[in-house]
Amino acid sequence: MLRIQNYLNGQLVPPQAGRYLDNVDPATGQVYGQIPDSGPEDVAAAVAAAEAALPAWRALPAEDRGRLLVKIADLIDASLDHLARAESQDNGKPLSLARVMDIPRAASNFHFFGTAAGHFATEAHVQEGVAVNYTVRHPVGVVGCISPWNLPLYLFTWKIAPALAVGCCVVAKPSEITPATAFLLSELCIEAGLPAGVLNIIHGNGPNCGQAIVEHPSIKAISFTGGTATGRHLARTAAPMFKKLSLELGGKNPNIIFADCDLAAAVATSIRSSFANQGQICLCGSRIFIERPIYEAFKTEFLKQLQDQKIGDPLEADTKQGALVSEAHLHKVLAYIKLAHEEGGTLLAGGHRVTVPGRCEGGYFLEPTVFENLPFDCRTNQEEIFGPVVTLTPFDTDEEALLMANSTDYGLSATIWTRDLQRAHRVAHQLHSGIVWINTWLHRDLRTPFGGMKNSGVGREGGLEALRFFTEAQNVCVKL
Ligand code: NAD
């Protein structure tokens, strides 16, 4: 049994109240470990440790902070196998995916922000002959980072690394559903020699542990990734305390397939953008709009390639689709499949729970599911399902595609497939999405602004945006 501990003031310690939650392997349905059920007392101790560590950490030259982060990146790289296995077991995702995506990206996050620390410059505004203004960027102080279960170490490090790079100290909480790699990260931070208290990782559930982080008066900024409803609740708590907030929330992303696209590439990538990580990526495209002349051709090829989407034991090399993250989430997605039937959708593929024989008999597996004939404004097409369920819908004009694509409360990402350069740009600029991909998907450059419009979030992460978020700008004006 893996018994996870909190990382507090440089040490691995049990939760003060001695309470634990079960950790379930979604591929087997079996409890395989325990997680601290931490509360406000553990968060308070973490904040005290972070406050004590802050003066020395912020005073350290940026280059030295950066070196430590790069060392952690190297240790993540060296632990690839171990971390990928832990991620796969905790989350249900294929081991092959964790090996090429989750863990390498976690290392990249530390490497990218570790090196960025030494390049982060501020602005000067010169009023010729009158005055010089320059901006000093002070670290905000002690900050909170709260992350979800779908890309556990990937998103956890995406927040922590920029905060540490600019000289903040961090109290972080991974999702209680997938805490394993955050725990292993704490061991790597100790090995790297990160000073005590600079990063504290407290495990526990949202209402008890996460809420205590958001409410703590000494935590000056919160970077949160998770569901829109949780984000709304968080904002309600944090706003009256005037905390800085970065909210990366849900999505219901459109794929717009124009008739002049490279059909083979559009289909192959749409399979990935629909079902990668069991459709549990905030950037997955769950509404596929296809220009009518190629609707049937796209559908036929999409359903054909779906046959290769092998569902199975996440540890097997040829598995494309592993288990959904939890029994509760499986039932949520199944409820949406029932709703899609009730709303008059035609089921083209999937729709059922799958039993994988042997070791994974009790796991939470679900067929990749495709519907058509659903109105663009029905609940199935408006609400985030966050599972392997997509809808196909034909369109006739650019205006109709844009109307349907922009019709939800969300605005995280969108994908366009066309060979017409002008149309691609024109449509991209009219989409209400923080991220637009043209003829590609999930292509990431860590320097670019990342985040959503509308109910998909507030603020941007990535590159300088993240470094700026974790700093307070101070203008100093000197009269000449
Ligand atoms: P969630 O909102 O249930 O939980 C996210 C985190 O918030 C967890 O660590 C949870 O313990 C914590 N939390 C819950 N209640 C809290 C509270 N009252 N105070 C403080 N913390 C609290 O989300 P989830 O189910 O873990 O993740 C799935 C959601 O995340 C989806 O909606 C998905 O779209 C979204 N997501 C968004 C992005 C993005 O970049 N925009 C990326 C990944 C996932």
Side-chain angles (χ1 to χ4, degrees):
M1 273 270 180
L2 174 73
R3 182 173 260 214
I4 284 173
Q5 295 195 298
N6 288 332
Y7 174 43
L8 201 159
N9 204 19
Q11 308 220 309
L12 299 176
V13 297
Q16 290 179 36
R19 284 194 311 269
Y20 287 84
L21 305 164
D22 285 340
N23 193 9
V24 174
D25 176 346
T28 64
Q30 301 295 314
V31 173
Y32 83 101
Q34 292 200 305
I35 316 156
D37 183 9
S38 310
E41 62 285 3
D42 300 292
V43 170
V47 173
E51 282 185 310
L54 187 63
W57 182 247
R58 65 186 293 166
L60 205 64
E63 192 185 339
D64 294 350
R65 286 198 301 267
R67 272 179 206 277
L68 272 163
L69 300 195
V70 170
K71 199 164 172 187
I72 295 170
D74 291 344
L75 289 171
I76 293 174
D77 275 334
S79 312
L80 172 65
D81 282 333
H82 185 41
L83 288 168
R85 274 188 172 269
E87 203 71 295
S88 171
Q89 180 169 30
D90 224 18
N91 173 278
K93 69 178 67 207
L95 174 60
S96 57
L97 184 69
R99 281 185 60 88
V100 300
M101 184 175 77
D102 296 76
I103 309 307
R105 172 58 192 275
S108 295
N109 288 339
F110 269 106
H111 193 269
F112 176 83
F113 286 111
T115 50
H119 294 263
F120 189 34
T122 66
E123 311 93 71
H125 300 89
V126 182
Q127 293 170 302
E128 298 297 339
V130 183
V132 175
N133 291 274
Y134 63 91
T135 310
V136 186
R137 293 197 179 270
H138 300 282
V140 167
V142 176
V143 300
C145 297
I146 300 175
S147 60
W149 49 256
N150 63 323
L151 303 170
L153 193 63
Y154 175 134
L155 290 173
F156 195 56
T157 54
W158 177 236
K159 301 180 169 304
I160 291 169
L164 296 178
V166 297
C168 291
C169 288
V170 177
V171 177
K173 189 192 94 60
S175 169
E176 64 277 25
I177 299 170
T178 53
T181 47
F183 172 62
L184 297 176
L185 175 70
S186 42
E187 293 181 334
L188 298 181
C189 290
I190 293 170
E191 193 181 336
L194 193 68
V198 165
L199 170 63
N200 304 275
I201 301 176
I202 306 297
H203 297 269
N205 64 28
N208 205 18
C209 179
Q211 183 76 19
I213 293 176
V214 180
E215 284 179 356
H216 200 295
S218 300
I219 292 187
K220 301 298 178 198
I222 305 281
S223 174
F224 169 82
T225 299
T228 294
T230 315
R232 185 174 287 123
H233 173 79
L234 227 113
R236 225 180 275 131
T237 310
M241 301 170 86
F242 305 112
K243 296 190 180 205
K244 283 186 95 176
L245 272 184
S246 171
L247 302 175
E248 301 292 337
L249 310 176
K252 185 74 177 174
N253 310 309
N255 280 15
I256 303 178
I257 320 277
F258 286 105
D260 68 345
C261 72
D262 175 342
L263 188 63
V267 171
T269 306
S270 297
I271 290 278
R272 259 193 341 112
S273 70
S274 302
F275 304 119
N277 207 40
Q278 297 70 249
Q280 303 166 134
I281 301 181
C282 54
L283 305 164
C284 276
S286 51
R287 297 175 297 146
I288 308 183
F289 300 109
I290 306 146
E291 205 170 3
R292 202 174 300 275
I294 62 158
Y295 185 80
E296 288 303 324
F298 181 94
K299 179 170 102 181
T300 306
E301 191 54 29
F302 189 78
L303 295 176
K304 189 169 145 229
Q305 290 196 22
L306 201 59
Q307 309 299 319
D308 302 334
Q309 206 58 16
K310 188 197 154 197
I311 308 167
D313 186 335
L315 297 181
E316 285 174 9
D318 60 344
T319 291
K320 295 265 179 56
Q321 232 183 275
L324 267 64
V325 76
S326 67
E327 190 168 18
H329 191 58
L330 172 72
H331 288 299
K332 178 191 153 186
V333 178
L334 283 168
Y336 270 107
I337 291 173
K338 185 165 170 279
L339 175 71
H341 283 293
E342 287 163 7
E343 290 186 319
T346 306
L347 183 70
L348 296 175
H352 303 101
R353 187 174 179 170
V354 178
T355 302
V356 172
R359 184 184 89 87
C360 295
E361 214 166 54
Y364 312 131
F365 297 87
L366 181 65
E367 290 172 330
T369 299
V370 186
F371 280 95
E372 67 174 353
N373 287 333
L374 278 163
F376 76 90
D377 55 355
C378 70
R379 283 183 55 205
T380 308
N381 270 328
Q382 293 288 314
E383 297 178 13
E384 185 184 46
I385 300 175
F386 214 53
V389 181
V390 296
T391 61
L392 308 185
T393 309
F395 69 88
D396 291 298
T397 63
D398 294 15
E399 290 68 32
E400 192 190 2
L402 279 163
L403 174 86
M404 295 194 292
N406 286 335
S407 67
T408 73
D409 290 337
Y410 296 104
L412 188 54
S413 72
T415 306
I416 299 168
W417 289 89
T418 177
R419 286 187 167 107
D420 179 337
L421 200 58
Q422 284 172 311
R423 174 152 67 178
H425 290 284
R426 196 176 58 240
V427 171
H429 296 188
Q430 292 177 81
L431 282 165
H432 305 159
S433 306
I435 301 146
V436 180
W437 280 293
I438 299 172
N439 297 332
T440 183
W441 176 72
L442 207 62
H443 189 113
R444 294 280 297 117
D445 177 331
L446 303 192
R447 295 169 299 179
T448 58
F450 179 91
M453 297 182 183
K454 301 194 277 186
N455 290 4
S456 288
V458 178
R460 294 292 180 272
E461 297 184 340
L464 293 176
E465 303 271 353
L467 299 175
R468 290 197 181 120
F469 173 75
F470 288 113
T471 53
E472 285 280 15
Q474 177 187 47
N475 187 65
V476 178
C477 178
V478 190
K479 190 171 183 302
L480 294 180

